[in-house]
Every structure is written in structure tokens, then in C-alpha cells.
């Protein structure tokens, strides 16, 4: 019996006991989920290296049937792309002059809901939060997925400034552009060019937290359709993205063709390579 369990069992106050047991069960369930994800990942990695299930079983002291079961059941390893155990999905509040209160744009609501559904499909617990109208947001938290561009938050602008390859640029009097420093190419939204067309550019990256104790998964479009396109890319290609970057810092741009009536993505594809930041800094 662990010391923590003994401590909880010794609590006399029934209400405190109920609260402590409930909290501990939630923590334990998250731990069990992540251990199962890690176990499946190890078996998957060993098998991809050419080992048979029988060889893995023999070395691990388990049956071949058990190894095969682990490989094909439980939470998928690529869920770790979004976070471990629990994630918080953050979307920006905007001031509505007519309603005289903060609101969330419908496209951001849709992005948040789809990210929540995606995270839950990988066995992750999900909570939500907001970037305040002022642009304030606490990025020094575990498991953050933030849907917000630099124009709405100085905090997010500072976060994006850490990217060694891709930069958000907004020359005075001109619309936002995403610039690939590697190629010198500036990418702009179709709504900001002539002739106008229903095309946006989305940013996806994992960047260091300000306190240096973790990472933030950052998503943004030059316009809101770009964010929706990035979320669609995650929903369809998460396994491939995970295979290329794992838990490393990275960034990439996404080309999004969308329905001008609904902002719904119709075609989504990578616009740049997926840049691993550790490879950029050591190049």
C-alpha cells in the first residue's frame, strides 16, 4: 500500500475524504491512460525496428498474444502530440461593440470544439479557457493548445517570435503575412490580395513556454478560416505529424481553401516543410 493511499485512508472528515478520493481517482486514471499509451508506443517502436511480436514478448517476459493485444488496443501514441493526460484548449475573446461584452467568433468556437473532440478521441481529459480581450493569457501551464494569432495578443506575439524559421510580419498599412525565413517567401491570405479568393494561411507549431518548463501547441490563421484548416489537418494527419516531430519543437504553414459562405475548409495541405527547431538551431 502506497504512502499516499495510507494518507487518504486515514482522513476522518468524510467530506474531505470524498474530495481527496475523487481527486486521486482522476489523477490515477490519467496516469493509467498515459502508461497504456507509452506501453503501446514502445511495442509499436520495437515492431517498426523489425522485431517480431514473439521476439518482443520473449525479451519483455510477456506472451506473444499480450504483446499483440498491447500493439492494437489502448490509447494511440500519436495522442501525445496534443498533450499528456489532460489538455486545455484556449481560444480568444473578442469585444462585441453591439452586445457590449466579450464573445468568441464562431470559427474559433468550431476550432475549439473540434480540437476537444480530437483530444477526447485519444483518451485525453479536456478543459477550456480564453485569451482575454486585453490579450492576456497564462502560457506557463501544462497541456496548452492555444488558437490565437499575434494580432490579438502581445503574449502570443512574443511566443511566436521564438520561432527560428517562420515569422508573423505586419508592415504598417499592410495586412499580416507569414514569412518563411528559409526561402524568403511571404505568404498572404487570399482575402488580402487582388483578386480576392477564398484562401487562407494557417500556422501550426510547438513552441517553448515563457518559463522554459514545457511547450505550447500554437494554432492560428491569418484569418479564422486558417485556424479551422489547421484543425482539419490535425484531425486527418495527426499520425503522420507525430511521426515526423514527436514531442519536439517545430512549425509549419498550412494552405487552406475554404467555402467563402461558411469559412469551412474544402482543401488543406502543407504550404512549407515541417521545420524541426532543434535541427534549425544546430544547422
Amino acid at each position: 500500500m502506497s504512502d499516499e493511499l495510507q494518507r487518504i485512508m486515514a482522513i476522518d472528515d468524510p467530506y474531505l475524504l470524498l474530495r481527496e478520493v475523487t481527486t486521486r481517482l482522476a489523477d490515477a486514471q490519467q496516469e493509467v491512460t498515459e502508461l497504456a499509451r507509452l506501453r503501446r508506443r514502445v511495442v509499436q517502436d520495437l515492431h517498426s525496428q523489425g522485431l517480431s511480436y514473439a521476439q518482443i514478448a520473449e525479451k519483455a517476459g510477456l506472451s506473444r498474444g499480450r504483446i499483440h493485444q498491447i500493439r492494437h488496443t489502448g490509447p494511440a501514441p500519436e495522442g501525445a502530440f496534443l498533450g499528456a493526460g489532460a489538455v486545455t484548449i484556449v481560444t480568444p475573446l473578442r469585444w462585441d461593440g453591439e452586445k457590449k461584452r466579450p464573445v468568441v467568433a464562431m470559427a474559433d468556437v468550431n476550432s475549439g470544439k473540434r480540437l476537444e473532440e480530437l483530444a477526447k478521441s485519444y483518451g485525453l481529459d479536456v478543459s477550456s479557457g480564453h485569451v482575454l480581450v486585453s490579450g492576456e493569457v497564462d502560457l506557463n501551464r501544462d497541456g496548452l493548445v492555444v488558437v490565437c494569432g499575434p494580432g490579438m495578443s502581445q503574449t502570443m506575439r512574443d511566443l511566436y517570435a521564438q520561432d527560428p524559421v517562420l515569422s508573423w510580419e505586419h508592415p504598417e498599412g499592410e495586412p499580416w503575412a507569414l514569412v518563411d525565413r528559409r526561402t524568403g517567401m511571404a505568404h498572404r491570405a487570399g482575402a488580402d490580395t487582388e483578386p480576392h479568393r477564398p484562401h487562407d494561411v494557417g500556422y501550426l507549431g510547438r513552441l517553448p513556454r515563457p518559463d522554459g518548463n514545457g511547450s505550447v501547441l500554437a494554432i492560428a490563421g491569418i484569418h479564422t478560416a486558417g485556424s479551422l484548416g489547421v484543425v482539419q489537418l490535425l484531425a486527418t494527419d495527426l499520425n503522420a505529424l507525430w511521426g515526423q516531430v514527436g514531442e519536439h519543437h517545430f512549425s509549419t504553414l498550412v494552405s487552406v481553401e475554404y467555402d467563402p459562405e461558411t469559412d469551412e475548409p474544402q482543401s488543406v495541405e502543407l504550404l512549407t516543410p515541417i521545420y524541426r527547431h532543434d535541427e534549425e538551431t544546430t544547422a
Side-chain angles (χ1 to χ4, degrees), residues 132-246:
L132 301 181
V133 173
S134 64
E136 295 177 66
V137 57
D138 178 13
L139 299 180
N140 295 323
R141 293 177 282 168
D142 293 336
L144 277 186
V145 181
V146 183
V147 182
C148 182
M152 300 188 67
S153 168
Q154 183 62 49
T155 303
M156 290 302 296
R157 187 178 300 192
D158 293 341
L159 182 76
Y160 288 119
Q162 299 181 81
D163 191 317
V165 192
L166 303 174
S167 64
W168 291 84
E169 298 191 5
H170 189 209
E172 186 174 353
E174 296 184 24
W176 282 96
L178 277 156
V179 177
D180 185 335
R181 297 192 189 100
R182 176 76 74 81
T183 64
M185 180 78 69
H187 301 277
R188 294 180 173 83
D192 301 327
T193 59
E194 292 291 345
H196 296 332
R197 65 189 182 99
H199 172 267
D200 202 4
V201 181
Y203 176 101
L204 170 65
R206 184 182 294 118
L207 302 168
R209 279 169 29 175
D211 64 2
N213 294 325
S215 303
V216 177
L217 189 65
I219 296 170
I222 293 179
H223 300 289
T224 53
S227 300
L228 279 170
V230 172
V231 174
Q232 180 167 307
L233 180 77
L234 290 174
T236 55
D237 292 332
L238 191 63
N239 186 50
L241 289 165
W242 168 254
Q244 292 186 65
V245 301

Side-chain angles (χ1 to χ4, degrees), residues 73-99:
T73 60
E78 59 266 27
F81 184 95
L82 300 171
V87 299
T88 302
I89 297 168
V90 176
T91 51
L93 292 173
R94 306 163 189 262
W95 184 256
D96 188 312
E98 293 185 4
K99 297 180 179 179

Side-chain angles (χ1 to χ4, degrees), residues 5-225:
L5 181 55
Q6 289 181 343
R7 181 191 70 79
I8 293 174
M9 292 180 68
I11 295 174
D12 292 327
D13 183 332
Y15 302 105
L16 177 58
L17 176 61
L18 181 60
R19 185 166 63 248
E20 289 283 330
V21 169
T22 301
T23 300
R24 180 60 186 140
L25 279 171
D27 292 343
Q29 184 56 56
Q30 284 187 7
E31 186 173 328
V32 167
T33 299
E34 290 310 310
L35 286 171
R37 192 189 314 280
L38 178 59
R39 182 176 61 176
R40 181 175 175 181
R41 176 181 168 184
V42 171
V43 171
Q44 183 172 299
D45 289 347
L46 290 171
H47 189 57
S48 67
Q49 293 169 20
L51 276 72
S52 68
Y53 293 136
Q55 289 172 317
I56 298 171
E58 181 181 358
K59 291 180 179 294
L62 299 170
S63 70
R64 183 186 182 282
R66 184 67 174 133
I67 294 297
H68 189 273
Q69 181 186 42
I70 290 170
R71 171 64 180 83
H72 295 285
T73 60
E78 59 266 27
F81 184 95
L82 300 171
V87 299
T88 302
I89 297 168
V90 176
T91 51
L93 292 173
R94 306 163 189 262
W95 184 256
D96 188 312
E98 293 185 4
K99 297 180 179 179
K100 306 297 183 184
R101 62 179 176 85
V103 298
V104 181
M106 183 54 64
D108 290 332
V109 170
N110 291 335
S111 291
K113 286 182 177 179
R114 291 169 194 179
L115 284 168
E116 179 178 345
E117 292 168 0
L118 180 63
K120 286 182 176 179
S121 74
Y122 285 100
L124 297 165
D125 290 338
V126 183
S127 58
S128 62
H130 294 294
V131 178
L132 301 181
V133 173
S134 64
E136 295 177 66
V137 57
D138 178 13
L139 299 180
N140 295 323
R141 293 177 282 168
D142 293 336
L144 277 186
V145 181
V146 183
V147 182
C148 182
M152 300 188 67
S153 168
Q154 183 62 49
T155 303
M156 290 302 296
R157 187 178 300 192
D158 293 341
L159 182 76
Y160 288 119
Q162 299 181 81
D163 191 317
V165 192
L166 303 174
S167 64
W168 291 84
E169 298 191 5
H170 189 209
E172 186 174 353
E174 296 184 24
W176 282 96
L178 277 156
V179 177
D180 185 335
R181 297 192 189 100
R182 176 76 74 81
T183 64
M185 180 78 69
H187 301 277
R188 294 180 173 83
D192 301 327
T193 59
E194 292 291 345
H196 296 332
R197 65 189 182 99
H199 172 267
D200 202 4
V201 181
Y203 176 101
L204 170 65
R206 184 182 294 118
L207 302 168
R209 279 169 29 175
D211 64 2
N213 294 325
S215 303
V216 177
L217 189 65
I219 296 170
I222 293 179
H223 300 289
T224 53

